[in-house]
Amino acid sequence: MEALRAALYAIVEAARPCSVRHVYYLGIGRLWAKDTGGSRRNYSTVVRELGYMREHGILPWEWITDGTRMVRQELQYDSLNDALERTAEAYRRNLWASQSRRVEVWCESDSVGGVLLPVTTAWGVGLYSCRGQSSKTYVYEAVQEYARLGKAVSIVFAGDFDPTGRAVPRSVVERITRYGNGHRLDVQFEQIAVTADDVRSGQFTTHDVNTRDVNYKRYREECLREGLDPHNAVEVEAIPPGLLRGRLDTAIEALVDDARQWNIAARIEQAERELLRTLPETVNGLMRRAGVELDGQDGDE
């Protein structure tokens, strides 16, 4: 068991941040066989041991992502001073305003979203989890936002290569076209994973396709056109997190079409952040002279 935990630690350390499902796929063929026939024995072992390792301080909690925990609450501050300090820390200028296109990253699941988040955060682009097939409302609201913005849009997508996973980009493109009728939207859709070349390479763990899936017929036709076995599928978690993040980083960087304006905006952002850092002290001085403390308490006078 100690040897297994040491191997798990090495996998997570090399791939962090990553999901539990990614760890399971990265260990297939090295530490365990792929679960078959409806069994989840090996996957359950990974879940149990990663939980034990984090709870006992063997593995840092932040190395494993969980994109399912969402909190909906209005942003609040302890005081005006707290608001100023946190604003200075979090301030981001929209560098994409200097570019000709809006860029978004869509992924098929929350677990993949946690893996891609460091890249989208660094580039300042939105990360959207479809959670399987995108709903009509989800796509309609996106189209309304694009129309309001009035800019061309590039969507970078990461999802499974299976009947449902391949249906997602087809459905999104079709619905954007239909719901955007009359708006003359310019929306480009790029899938960075899992691609037909990924499946063709044979580098990633496959699994049997559910031939009863309502999307299987079109999936089979697509596979045959690509020269692929329609009975095999590859989940996006089978691709190492580092490779996924590298692909996404390259794809987003390629969408920066005016590097000069980007760099100018980045320098302005840095100057503005420095200015914001000086505000708490300046405002504190003004408030003290007015007899009010920024923590909400009355001053001495």
Side-chain angles (χ1 to χ4, degrees):
M1 190 59 70
E2 290 303 317
L4 172 61
R5 289 170 184 164
L8 285 170
Y9 185 97
I11 289 176
V12 179
E13 183 180 32
R16 69 183 193 275
C18 60
S19 66
V20 171
R21 195 163 182 80
H22 265 109
V23 177
Y24 164 71
Y25 269 100
L26 291 172
I28 290 176
R30 297 165 52 189
L31 300 173
W32 47 76
K34 189 178 187 303
D35 290 327
T36 58
S39 170
R40 291 171 59 88
R41 178 181 177 182
N42 292 329
Y43 180 72
S44 297
T45 298
V46 174
V47 173
R48 183 187 69 243
E49 291 308 312
L50 289 179
Y52 175 91
M53 292 169 69
R54 283 175 287 169
E55 289 175 351
H56 288 78
I58 303 171
L59 190 72
W61 284 92
E62 63 271 17
W63 287 9
I64 301 294
T65 67
D66 179 7
T68 62
R69 185 177 183 273
M70 295 179 63
V71 179
R72 293 178 172 86
Q73 182 179 4
E74 291 295 323
L75 188 60
Q76 301 172 19
Y77 304 98
D78 294 338
S79 64
L80 178 57
N81 204 35
D82 177 45
L84 292 171
E85 291 176 353
R86 288 169 60 182
T87 300
E89 293 171 359
Y91 177 71
R92 295 286 297 272
R93 172 175 275 263
N94 179 17
L95 304 185
W96 291 99
S98 66
Q99 305 300 300
S100 65
R101 306 189 70 86
R102 173 191 176 101
V103 176
E104 296 180 351
V105 175
W106 291 27
C107 58
E108 191 172 340
S109 66
D110 292 322
S111 65
V112 178
V115 169
L116 301 179
L117 185 60
V119 180
T120 58
T121 299
W123 282 103
V125 300
L127 177 61
Y128 302 81
S129 175
C130 301
R131 298 183 180 178
Q133 184 65 273
S134 301
S135 71
K136 294 180 174 65
T137 299
Y138 190 95
V139 179
Y140 176 81
E141 290 178 351
V143 168
Q144 300 309 303
E145 175 65 13
Y146 302 157
R148 183 197 64 77
L149 186 65
K151 291 180 70 170
V153 179
S154 288
I155 298 174
V156 183
F157 177 72
D160 300 337
F161 199 100
D162 62 12
T164 298
R166 295 304 300 159
V168 171
R170 285 198 305 267
S171 172
V172 168
V173 171
E174 185 275 328
R175 288 175 179 173
I176 286 176
T177 301
R178 181 150 46 94
Y179 300 158
N181 184 34
H183 290 301
R184 297 183 180 179
L185 298 179
D186 177 2
V187 180
Q188 295 180 359
F189 198 98
E190 176 187 4
Q191 183 159 356
I192 59 167
V194 176
T195 66
D197 286 340
D198 289 330
V199 181
R200 192 177 292 111
S201 72
Q203 298 179 39
F204 308 109
T205 302
T206 64
H207 64 85
D208 294 335
V209 168
N210 178 14
T211 57
R212 296 188 298 275
D213 191 306
V214 294
N215 299 299
Y216 177 71
K217 181 178 179 180
R218 292 189 68 175
Y219 176 77
R220 182 176 184 278
E221 294 171 352
E222 183 176 348
C223 286
L224 294 176
R225 285 197 303 270
E226 294 282 354
L228 302 173
D229 184 349
H231 296 95
N232 287 335
V234 176
E235 293 191 18
V236 69
E237 286 88 354
I239 298 180
L243 179 57
L244 272 178
R245 287 191 286 267
R247 287 186 185 181
L248 180 59
D249 186 69
T250 299
I252 296 176
E253 183 177 15
L255 294 169
V256 177
D257 52 25
D258 191 333
R260 178 177 177 276
Q261 289 300 319
W262 180 277
N263 291 332
I264 290 173
R267 288 194 294 271
I268 294 173
E269 176 190 54
Q270 182 60 34
E272 291 172 335
R273 189 178 293 117
E274 292 300 324
L275 174 62
L276 285 170
R277 289 195 179 105
T278 68
L279 284 181
E281 183 179 350
T282 301
V283 175
N284 263 317
L286 293 173
M287 298 294 279
R288 280 195 296 269
R289 285 196 291 273
V292 179
E293 297 294 332
L294 266 69
D295 62 5
Q297 303 296 321
D298 292 336
D300 293 333
E301 299 178 5

